[in-house]
Structure formats: structure tokens, C-alpha cells
Amino acid sequence: DQQVKQNSPSLSVQEGRISILNCDYTNSMFDYFLWYKKYPAEGPTFLISISSIKDKNEDGRFTVFLNKSAKHLSLHIVPSQPGDSAVYFCAASAWVYGNKLVFGAGTILRVKS
Amino acid sequence: GAGVSQSPSNKVTEKGKDVELRCDPISGHTALYWYRQSLGQGLEFLIYFQGNSAPDKSGLPSDRFSAERTGGSVSTLTIQRTQQEDSAVYLCASSQPGQGYNEQFFGPGTRLTVL
């Protein structure tokens, strides 16, 4: 039972354009959402997060949008750069479950120069 | 240390052997987590240590898996009688509650291959 789903296994974007990575979840108890970025042979690194009391959080080129009614969040990267090419994982947590993160399967982003 | 470290980086073993994977969390972090990533899958939670509390073992897939955290710092994940389906990248993460809600810092992982 996948509680966090990233339905696009891969995404290819031209440098300078916007990258939009999507994530859906099923558990309404989730109250905090995170995006992690992973390069090959490295551990995931934290990118940006959003609390369920917000619908948008922005950090430089990265913006996360949360639509609670649709149980959907998205990560926007603009402008996309070749160094953004990596695997992006969406993760969710709920205080009632402690600090465990539930991850999606990841989306491979390739930014073409 | 500067970040979470894990050893070994790669481990190849034969089916039926026991393996131990080590994690050194960031100094001062009281929370430590183990996850694994199987091929083409997301990260799967295994076990969580927080301070002196009893660990949350709810993600361990079978009783062949166990983990310890000695002195509130280093952790060892042990897999007994390894099976081919145990092949995965095992990732350790640590966090300091209050430093950012659920921001977990990950190590580079140990790639386990069971032949």
C-alpha cells in the first residue's frame, strides 16, 4: 500500500525552463511534507519542506505547493539548471507516527543544456 | 563529524551469511533512522532510535533484521542469514529535534549485494 506516490518515473526539461515534479498521498494524517534530492552514490539531501498549515513555501529557485483537498503536492524548479539533474523524492510524515518519513519512489529529473 | 558516515560503502555476501552495517550519526543528533532502498523503489523505513527511548522497530521486514545503538551514538544494523531479496542500499539518517521539523540528514549508504 503506497501512501506516497510519484507517478512520473522520469522527467526531461530544457535548461532555463520550469521543472514540475508531482507527488500524491493517501493518508490524511500526514502533516509535513519534504522533498529530497539524490545524486548517484550519495545519500538524499534535504531540499525544501512544507507544513500542512501552508499551501506554498518558496526557497530561491524552489517552490513547493500543497493542495490538501486533493492530497497533492508539487515541486517547481525555475529556472532549471543542468546541476539539478538528480532523483527527487517526495516524503511525508505525521506527528502521530513519530518522525518516520514515508517516501515516494522518486522521479529522475534530467535537465538538458 | 561533518556528516553522517556509513561503512562499508559496498558489501557483497553469500546467501545465508550474516552482515553488519555501521552508521555514525552527526555528533549531538539524538535521533537515528535506518531506511533501505531496493532497486526502483523509494526509501523504506526500517527502525528509529530517539535518545534513551525504546526504538521503533515497526519497519523491520523480518526477525532476521536487528539494530542497536550504543551509547546514544553509533548504530549497527545486523541482517542474519541474508537472502537475495535483502539486496538494497541501506541508508542511515540522523536528526536533532528542534533543528528543523523532521529534517533528517542522510549518510551515503551501504550497497548490499547478496549472491
Side-chain angles (χ1 to χ4, degrees):
Chain A
D1 177 27
Q2 270 191 299
Q3 297 188 70
V4 178
K5 298 179 184 179
Q6 294 177 254
N7 292 319
S8 297
S10 64
L11 175 67
S12 186
V13 171
Q14 196 68 35
E15 179 180 8
R17 305 295 289 268
I18 185 171
S19 297
I20 300 176
L21 297 103
N22 292 302
C23 178
D24 296 289
Y25 62 97
T26 57
N27 191 335
S28 58
M29 297 298 291
F30 288 142
D31 56 14
Y32 203 77
F33 304 89
L34 307 90
W35 285 93
Y36 279 82
K37 175 179 176 180
K38 186 179 184 302
Y39 293 116
E42 295 182 10
T45 55
F46 170 76
L47 195 56
I48 193 169
S49 63
I50 188 167
S51 164
S52 60
I53 63 173
K54 295 186 175 182
D55 55 16
K56 177 182 175 181
N57 188 27
E58 191 172 354
D59 183 2
R61 296 185 298 113
F62 303 91
T63 303
V64 56
F65 295 91
L66 175 63
N67 182 334
K68 283 183 61 180
S69 60
K71 294 190 177 68
H72 176 84
L73 65 154
S74 61
L75 174 68
H76 292 211
I77 307 173
V78 55
S80 302
Q81 299 173 354
D84 296 330
S85 298
V87 180
Y88 289 78
F89 290 99
C90 169
S93 70
W95 74 269
V96 293
Y97 303 141
N99 284 335
K100 293 180 288 189
L101 293 176
V102 180
F103 284 86
T107 297
I108 301 170
L109 173 65
R110 178 169 166 253
V111 180
K112 299 176 288 185
S113 56
Chain B
V4 178
S5 61
Q6 293 185 245
S7 61
S9 55
N10 280 285
K11 176 72 176 179
V12 180
T13 190
E14 294 179 347
K15 178 181 171 181
K17 302 280 189 181
D18 297 352
V19 294
E20 284 189 353
L21 312 179
R22 177 186 168 107
C23 171
D24 284 90
I26 292 172
S27 178
H29 280 191
T30 58
L32 187 148
Y33 313 78
W34 283 97
Y35 296 86
R36 74 175 175 181
Q37 184 183 13
S38 302
L39 189 63
Q41 303 293 317
L43 282 74
E44 172 192 6
F45 167 78
L46 297 177
I47 188 169
Y48 161 49
F49 297 89
Q50 172 57 57
N52 295 322
S53 302
D56 177 349
K57 304 179 182 180
S58 60
L60 295 179
S62 78
D63 58 8
R64 296 186 295 103
F65 288 72
S66 62
E68 290 184 342
R69 188 177 185 192
T70 53
S73 180
V74 172
S75 177
T76 302
L77 177 70
T78 302
I79 309 173
Q80 295 178 310
R81 305 180 302 282
T82 53
Q83 304 294 312
Q84 288 183 332
E85 61 262 29
D86 299 334
S87 296
V89 176
Y90 288 81
L91 290 151
C92 175
S94 70
S95 73
Q96 180 64 304
Q99 201 174 346
Y101 186 95
N102 283 330
E103 182 173 344
Q104 298 178 20
F105 296 85
F106 282 82
T110 294
R111 181 175 296 278
L112 174 65
T113 303
V114 182
L115 301 176

